[in-house]
């Protein structure tokens, strides 16, 4: 028996659950932001009054949220007047787009996604089967990652992001190669 079989939801439960969600989602009301985006401001306001203001049309939270969403959607429409081709027009924007793409690729290359998505399977395969222990280890890794990111931001101001990138990614690659070789 695979150690993860007991952690999977059986298919006999998944199918009715999927059908239930497919049917139930038809009765979920649209969000006020969506309604405003489609020009249905009265319905959006009614939603906010019902779910956030307990029926009070003069509730401060409702009025604040309504105006905030309305302003945000207006600004988004103004910003969307720009075309995507603006990004590709200037060399500086192309450079920024390349850097953003590189950063996404580098995050995938680090291997952390595998650990975050499949950590229960990985821990079970190395003999750590207690769910509490697995969750504790993962929580510790998340806290370590958080502190590491804060340290990298603070260090980035002094050393420079390029220097950090040029040192950290080769070290990560060497560590991953070492982990694969030790297997």
């Amino acid at each position: 028996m695979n150690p993860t079989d007991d952690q999977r939801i059986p298919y006999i439960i998944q199918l009715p659950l999927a059908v239930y969600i497919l049917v139930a989602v038809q009765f979920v009301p649209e969000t006020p932001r969506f309604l405003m985006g489609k020009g249905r401001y009265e319905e959006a306001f009614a939603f906010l009054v019902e779910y956030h203001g307990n029926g009070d049309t003069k509730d401060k939270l409702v009025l604040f949220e309504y105006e905030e969403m309305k302003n945000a959607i207006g600004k988004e429409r103004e910003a969307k007047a720009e075309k995507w081709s603006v990004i590709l027009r200037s060399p500086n924007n192309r450079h920024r787009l390349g850097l953003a793409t590189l950063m996404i690729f580098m995050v995938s290359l680090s291997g952390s996604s595998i650990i975050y998505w499949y950590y229960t399977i990985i821990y079970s395969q190395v003999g750590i089967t207690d769910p509490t222990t697995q969750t504790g280890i993962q929580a510790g890794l998340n806290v370590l990652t958080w502190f590491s990111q804060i340290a990298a931001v603070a260090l980035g101001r002094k050393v420079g992001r390029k220097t950090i990138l040029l040192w950290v990614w080769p070290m990560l690659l060497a560590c991953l190669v070492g982990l694969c070789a030790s297997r």
Side-chain angles (χ1 to χ4, degrees), residues 29-40:
E30 297 292 351
T31 65
R33 194 165 184 9
F34 173 81
L35 292 170
M36 282 185 185
K38 297 296 182 187
R40 296 160 50 186

Side-chain angles (χ1 to χ4, degrees), residues 87-169:
I87 294 174
L88 301 175
R89 275 189 210 143
S90 77
N92 287 338
N93 286 345
R94 286 193 298 271
H95 180 72
R96 289 182 186 105
L97 179 63
L99 288 175
T101 305
L102 177 67
M103 292 307 294
I104 292 168
F105 174 72
M106 294 304 240
V107 168
S108 298
L109 186 64
S110 74
S112 62
S113 300
I114 295 170
I115 294 171
Y116 288 129
W117 293 337
Y118 301 109
Y119 76 92
T120 55
I121 297 168
I122 294 168
Y123 294 153
S124 295
Q125 288 179 349
V126 296
I128 303 169
T129 56
D130 179 41
T132 305
T133 305
Q134 289 179 345
T135 305
I137 291 171
Q138 192 60 27
L141 285 173
N142 287 337
V143 169
L144 175 67
T145 301
W146 185 68
F147 280 116
S148 299
Q149 289 171 348
I150 290 173
V153 168
L155 189 63
R157 292 183 181 151
K158 292 182 172 87
V159 177
R161 292 176 291 205
K162 184 177 179 182
T163 306
I164 292 174
L165 185 67
L166 292 174
W167 279 95
V168 170
W169 291 113

Side-chain angles (χ1 to χ4, degrees), residues 53-110:
N54 295 323
D56 182 12
T57 57
K58 299 196 188 294
D59 185 64
K60 289 181 181 180
L61 175 65
V62 169
L63 296 173
F64 173 75
E65 286 180 323
Y66 180 77
E67 285 302 317
E68 187 178 40
M69 281 186 224
K70 193 173 174 182
N71 292 336
I73 289 172
K75 287 180 182 177
E76 287 171 6
R77 284 194 178 133
E78 288 173 19
K80 284 187 180 178
E82 296 286 336
K83 303 276 188 241
W84 278 95
S85 60
V86 171
I87 294 174
L88 301 175
R89 275 189 210 143
S90 77
N92 287 338
N93 286 345
R94 286 193 298 271
H95 180 72
R96 289 182 186 105
L97 179 63
L99 288 175
T101 305
L102 177 67
M103 292 307 294
I104 292 168
F105 174 72
M106 294 304 240
V107 168
S108 298
L109 186 64
S110 74

Side-chain angles (χ1 to χ4, degrees), residues 126 174-183:
V126 296
C175 290
L176 287 174
V177 168
L179 285 172
C180 290
S182 67
R183 179 90 171 126

